[in-house]
Amino acid sequence: MSNFRGCMEVNFFGTLSVTKSFLPLLRHNKGRIVNISSPAGDQPFPCLAAYGASKAALNLFTNTLRHELEPWGVQVSTILPSSYRTGRSSNRAYWDQQHKQLLQSLSPALLDEYGEDYVTEIKDLFHSYASQASTDLSPVVQAIVQALLAPQPRPRYYAGPGVGLMYFIHTYCPFSLSSWLLQWLFVKKKLKPRALRKEGLEINLNLLNNNNEEKLQ
């Protein structure tokens, strides 16, 4: 719950507070609002529920502002970046610390159901994904500049390679294809939760026993 509340405080309530403070000036001077969001706010990225939920709230808030502030001449845009290597995202020590805290916070029953190796694999996948992300932030900077200075700014800017294609697939292709793409690109897990592995083993053993009994008969 602390992760969900933390993400909402930073990504939604923080932006809401700053926007509310400056709205009188923005309305009277026909200013602009440019929010940095994420594709995770529109698409169900595996293992990013807390982050994605906060960005989804931000996206809806920004889209609503666009309609409400149109009579005042205030333009509102959302920047949707692809994956970039910033801050802690490529810091292995950070991921190790997050992994340690997660293991300590899980109840023994829940940890037994998932298995420590399952949780460790997720940590390694996140670190691998972050370490391969681009360090060139120029597409994001250029999108922000366009949103601030263009005579007619777009409601949304896809900043970085692959984001526009991802949204096209998410919008126009079957949900099963979009879901498979997110799993394939983002979380290439090989392990199942420990409890499911046990169930699979028990099923296989039962089938083997049944086959042996049939042969004996």
Side-chain angles (χ1 to χ4, degrees):
M1 292 301 296
S2 62
N3 287 334
F4 277 86
R5 289 192 176 98
C7 284
M8 289 299 294
E9 284 293 339
V10 174
N11 294 329
F12 178 66
F13 287 111
T15 304
L16 174 62
S17 178
V18 172
T19 304
K20 186 176 182 295
S21 297
F22 284 94
L23 266 182
L25 291 173
L26 291 169
R27 287 198 306 269
H28 294 154
N29 294 279
K30 296 184 178 181
R32 295 188 179 184
I33 296 174
V34 179
N35 285 333
I36 310 297
S37 188
S38 168
D42 294 314
Q43 304 180 41
F45 281 80
C47 302
L48 285 183
Y51 176 78
S54 67
K55 289 297 187 179
L58 176 62
N59 287 348
L60 185 58
F61 170 64
T62 306
N63 291 336
T64 304
L65 277 181
R66 185 178 302 111
H67 295 296
E68 293 178 347
L69 297 178
E70 184 179 4
W72 295 89
V74 177
Q75 304 279 358
V76 182
S77 298
T78 302
I79 310 296
L80 297 160
S82 59
S83 178
Y84 289 96
R85 196 187 314 172
T86 58
R88 298 174 175 176
S89 63
S90 59
N91 187 333
R92 179 172 288 277
Y94 167 75
W95 289 110
D96 289 341
Q97 180 64 25
Q98 292 292 103
H99 175 249
K100 182 180 179 180
Q101 290 178 356
L102 177 60
L103 290 178
Q104 291 175 347
S105 64
L106 290 176
S107 67
L110 195 58
L111 183 59
D112 183 62
E113 284 197 354
Y114 277 94
E116 186 172 338
D117 55 349
Y118 181 88
V119 180
T120 300
E121 185 187 42
I122 292 178
K123 183 261 296 183
D124 292 339
L125 286 169
F126 264 86
H127 182 265
S128 175
Y129 185 80
S131 64
Q132 297 172 15
S134 174
T135 57
D136 180 15
L137 300 176
S138 58
V140 180
V141 176
Q142 292 170 7
I144 295 173
V145 171
Q146 291 178 18
L148 290 173
L149 302 180
Q152 294 294 327
R154 299 200 299 265
R156 285 189 159 196
Y157 289 87
Y158 301 128
V163 182
L165 177 60
M166 184 182 297
Y167 269 90
F168 177 86
I169 294 175
H170 177 72
T171 304
Y172 297 105
C173 294
F175 178 79
S176 57
L177 177 60
S178 176
S179 179
W180 172 84
L181 183 66
L182 287 177
Q183 289 280 355
W184 181 74
L185 287 176
F186 192 66
V187 179
K188 302 177 182 179
K189 287 195 63 57
K190 297 180 180 179
L191 290 176
K192 290 183 178 181
R194 180 187 293 165
L196 297 180
R197 280 177 271 164
K198 289 180 179 179
E199 289 180 4
L201 179 61
E202 289 175 358
I203 291 173
N204 289 333
L205 289 174
N206 289 334
L207 289 174
L208 181 61
N209 290 334
N210 291 338
N211 289 335
N212 289 336
E213 289 177 1
E214 291 176 358
K215 289 179 180 178
L216 291 175
Q217 292 174 355

